[in-house]
Amino acid sequence: MNSQSPWARPGRLLRAARAYPRRAPMTLVYMCLLLAGHAWISHGLSADRSAAVLGHVSTNLDNLQDHPLSALLGSALFFDGTLTDVASTEFVGTFITLWLGVCCFLARAEHRWGKPRAAAVFLGGHVAATLLTAAVIAVALRNGWYPADVRHALDYGVSYGAQTLLAIGTPALPRRARLPWVLFVLAWPLGGADWNGPLPDFTTVGHLIAATVGFALLAVPAFRRQPVRTTGLPSATADGGPHRATAADRMTPPATTAARQGPPAP
C-alpha cells in the first residue's frame, strides 16, 4: 500500500499513539495531571472551594507579591478552558494551548531535547511571560490603562508555557508552513482581545510575550538545530553514496547528532 494513501493514515496515527508513552513519558504524566486537576476543580470541589484554590494559584499582582513561588508553580497545574463545549471560542483556546501546545509540542520538545531542556523551555516561558506581564500591568495601572481590580484578577493556566512551545517548535514545520505558523502564533491571542487604551488585555499581552520568548530562543543554536532521525532508512554518506544507519549511528548522543541535520519532516 502506498504510504501516502489516506487509508494508511489511521495506521500511522495508531502507531504514533502507541509510541507516545515511550517517546514522551514526562508529557504524558503532565497531561494526566492537568486532566486530573481539571476534573478535581470542576467536579470534586464545591464552587467556593474551587474558587479559593484557583484564587490562591492565580498569578495576579497581589499573589505574586504575597506568595510568588506557589502562585507561579501552582498556576501551571491547571488549565483554564473547556473540554466539552466544542462550539465555544473557549474550546478553541483549550485546543491550541492544551492539545497543540502541551500534548503535541511539549512531547516533541521532550523527544528532541530530553526532559530537562523541554521542561526548562515550558517553565521558563511560563515564568518569564508571567513576570513580564506583571511588570506591564504595573505600568498600565500607574497610567490608568487598566482598572484597579486587575491587581487581584483570576489568572492561571498553562497557556503561556504552551505559547512558548508553539513558537519554538516552528523549525519542525515544512519551510513553506513556517511563516504562516509564525503569523498564527502571534495572531490568535489577538482574536478575542479587549483593548484598554494603547494596550490589549493583560492575558493577550502575556501570550504575545510568551511567543516572543519562544522565537527568541530560536536564536540559541541548541534549540534551532534538530537531531538526526535514526530510523535505519538509507542516508547519504560523505561521498554521496547511500548509507544505511548502523547500530552505532542509532546510539549517537543527541548533542552530537544535533549539529548534523536541519529540521526534520513533520
Side-chain angles (χ1 to χ4, degrees):
M1 181 182 292
N2 186 347
S3 62
Q4 301 301 316
S5 169
W7 300 104
R9 291 174 188 168
R12 293 170 62 187
L13 291 174
L14 182 60
R15 288 193 298 273
R18 283 193 296 219
Y20 193 94
R22 173 177 53 82
R23 293 164 63 92
M26 179 190 72
T27 303
L28 180 60
V29 170
Y30 185 47
M31 280 292 297
C32 291
L33 185 63
L34 289 172
L35 294 174
H38 184 75
W40 179 59
I41 284 293
S42 301
H43 307 291
L45 297 177
S46 66
D48 290 343
R49 183 58 180 160
S50 175
V53 172
L54 295 178
H56 182 77
V57 302
S58 175
T59 53
N60 53 46
L61 289 187
D62 288 347
N63 284 355
L64 288 175
Q65 291 176 352
D66 183 61
H67 49 275
L69 189 60
S70 61
L72 286 168
L73 296 181
S75 66
L77 297 178
F78 303 98
F79 65 89
D80 182 19
T82 178
L83 295 173
T84 55
D85 190 5
V86 296
S88 66
T89 56
E90 194 175 318
F91 181 82
V92 174
T94 301
F95 178 81
I96 293 172
T97 59
L98 184 66
W99 300 114
L100 284 182
V102 177
C103 187
C104 296
F105 278 75
L106 180 58
R108 171 198 167 273
E110 180 183 357
H111 180 64
R112 294 292 187 267
W113 304 324
K115 298 177 184 64
R117 192 180 298 179
V121 170
F122 175 78
L123 288 175
H126 170 72
V127 172
T130 299
L131 296 181
L132 290 172
T133 301
V136 172
I137 292 173
V139 172
L141 286 172
R142 284 199 298 269
N143 287 276
W145 298 333
Y146 286 162
D149 59 3
V150 166
R151 291 193 59 88
H152 48 268
L154 192 63
D155 183 27
Y156 66 93
V158 301
S159 59
Y160 290 170
Q163 183 80 343
T164 301
L165 289 165
L166 292 175
I168 203 173
T170 302
L173 302 175
R175 290 187 183 275
R176 64 180 178 276
R178 291 176 191 172
L179 179 57
W181 180 256
V182 169
L183 297 176
F184 166 74
V185 171
L186 292 173
W188 84 263
L190 293 167
D194 294 322
W195 289 84
N196 301 274
L199 294 176
D201 59 274
F202 69 89
T203 56
T204 299
V205 170
H207 284 95
L208 294 177
I209 291 174
T212 302
V213 170
F215 291 130
L217 286 174
L218 289 176
V220 180
F223 294 113
R224 185 173 64 251
R225 294 190 294 248
Q226 307 298 319
V228 170
R229 282 186 172 181
T230 53
T231 59
L233 298 175
S235 58
T237 60
D239 60 4
H243 167 68
R244 183 172 295 276
T246 64
D249 293 329
R250 289 190 288 272
M251 295 174 64
T252 305
T256 302
T257 60
R260 295 210 304 260
Q261 182 169 310

